[in-house]
Amino acid sequence: MQDREQADFFARNALTRMTVLGIPPTPENFLVWYGYFSARPPSLKKAVDLLIAGGRPADTVLTEEIYRRFFAQGVETAEVDRKSTRLNSSHVALSR
């Protein structure tokens, strides 16, 4: 678990990096760069470093790619779960 100082440090670094790179401070972009500075998950930092070392610019396109790779599946799964719950609720209501 991170303490307040660590969390502030990671957040400041994430926002500063996004500002320097011209990346909009959206929640998704922030999640990527906070993850980068906190090394959570560790493979995220490694992936970003490898892509940049390979010549990829650290820009919005790279950030979106990393977001999809590391976080989008959970978002998509949550959306499917919400829709499934809504459909089940509608089905129950209709069958009464």
Side-chain angles (χ1 to χ4, degrees):
M1 185 97 174
Q2 298 173 355
D3 66 19
R4 174 65 191 248
E5 273 185 41
Q6 276 185 313
D8 286 345
F9 177 78
F10 298 144
R12 278 193 308 275
N13 280 299
L15 287 170
T16 299
R17 177 66 60 94
M18 291 186 326
T19 299
V20 168
L21 297 173
I23 297 170
T26 66
E28 295 82 5
N29 293 341
F30 182 79
L31 184 60
V32 168
W33 289 101
Y34 187 97
Y36 177 83
F37 285 103
S38 67
R40 289 188 176 164
S43 54
L44 182 151
K45 181 170 179 13
K46 224 179 260 189
V48 171
D49 287 342
L50 285 171
L51 288 167
I52 292 171
R56 288 284 303 276
D59 58 9
T60 303
V61 173
L62 178 125
T63 302
E64 289 172 0
E65 180 181 319
I66 294 296
Y67 177 81
R68 281 192 309 275
R69 181 172 167 190
F70 287 90
F71 302 109
Q73 184 176 6
V75 172
E76 290 167 1
T77 300
E79 182 63 22
V80 168
D81 288 346
R82 273 194 302 277
K83 287 182 179 179
S84 176
T85 300
R86 244 184 282 148
L87 283 172
N88 286 338
S89 295
S90 296
H91 180 334
V92 168
L94 288 173
S95 39
R96 287 183 187 175

